[in-house]
Amino acid sequence: MTLPSNVGTRNSYSLALLRIGVGILFLIFGQYKIFGTAFTLHGGFQFWINKFLDGGAYPFMVPVLRGFVLPHATIIAFLVAYGELAIGLALVLGILVRPASFCGLLLMLTMLFSSDYPGAGAPFWQYFGASLSHSVFALCFAAFLVGRAGSVLSLAALRKNRTSVSGD
């Protein structure tokens, strides 16, 4: 027989490990964009937006990508790069996990609708298959929002433990 607290503890650690893993991936995504200039200053972001427009944006996103994103591409590229780095740092360190997860979920939904459109005539299941690179991350961020992903293996938990020990 397993005690509920043990299950809760295991779930908290599992969610924390997933949080840290996703955070490391976002640190990788952000750091190469920030420390290299190809994405932000030399057309990398614009390349991807044009690729999305040519072969995979949902129809309602096309005017947004053409009319807003491309004209402001450099600023948005920096927002994406630093946003990914900030999301990664927050998740790895376990600070501001819910706000970072909300931003990550918004980013993944934006990416999903900007790039994963299989076409109007595609069978329903292909929409999910085409979206795996973004929908899986979106589900992780949703889990971090709903759960207590920062309750263990985090700076917040470490600070809470130090406060409770020093208060005794």
Side-chain angles (χ1 to χ4, degrees):
M1 181 165 98
T2 305
L3 298 173
S5 63
N6 289 342
V7 171
T9 300
R10 279 186 297 205
N11 288 342
S12 293
Y13 277 94
S14 297
L15 195 57
L17 289 174
L18 181 62
R19 182 199 83 224
I20 292 167
V22 170
I24 289 169
L25 291 172
F26 270 76
L27 283 174
I28 293 167
F29 298 157
Q31 70 81 27
Y32 89 86
K33 291 172 182 150
I34 291 170
F35 297 118
T37 59
F39 182 81
T40 53
L41 296 174
H42 295 102
F45 180 76
Q46 293 90 327
F47 167 81
W48 284 105
I49 298 301
N50 284 311
K51 187 172 180 177
F52 298 161
L53 287 167
D54 290 341
Y58 277 74
F60 69 89
M61 285 298 289
V62 171
V64 175
L65 294 173
R66 284 193 204 283
F68 180 75
V69 174
L70 281 176
H72 303 96
T74 302
I75 293 167
I76 295 172
F78 276 100
L79 286 173
V80 168
Y82 282 94
E84 288 178 351
L85 190 72
I87 289 167
L89 279 172
L91 295 180
V92 167
L93 298 175
I95 54 174
L96 301 171
V97 172
R98 283 197 169 115
S101 298
F102 179 77
C103 292
L105 180 60
L106 286 179
L107 177 63
M108 288 302 99
L109 291 175
T110 303
M111 292 294 298
L112 186 145
F113 293 125
S114 296
S115 64
D116 294 330
Y117 184 59
F124 187 66
W125 64 267
Q126 282 186 349
Y127 288 87
F128 296 104
S131 75
L132 286 177
S133 60
H134 300 110
S135 61
V136 171
F137 279 122
L139 290 171
C140 289
F141 288 124
F144 303 155
L145 274 170
V146 173
R148 294 179 44 202
S151 66
V152 295
L153 300 177
S154 67
L155 289 180
L158 180 64
R159 195 172 100 193
K160 183 179 176 182
N161 288 341
R162 280 191 179 177
T163 304
S164 66
V165 169
S166 65
D168 289 342

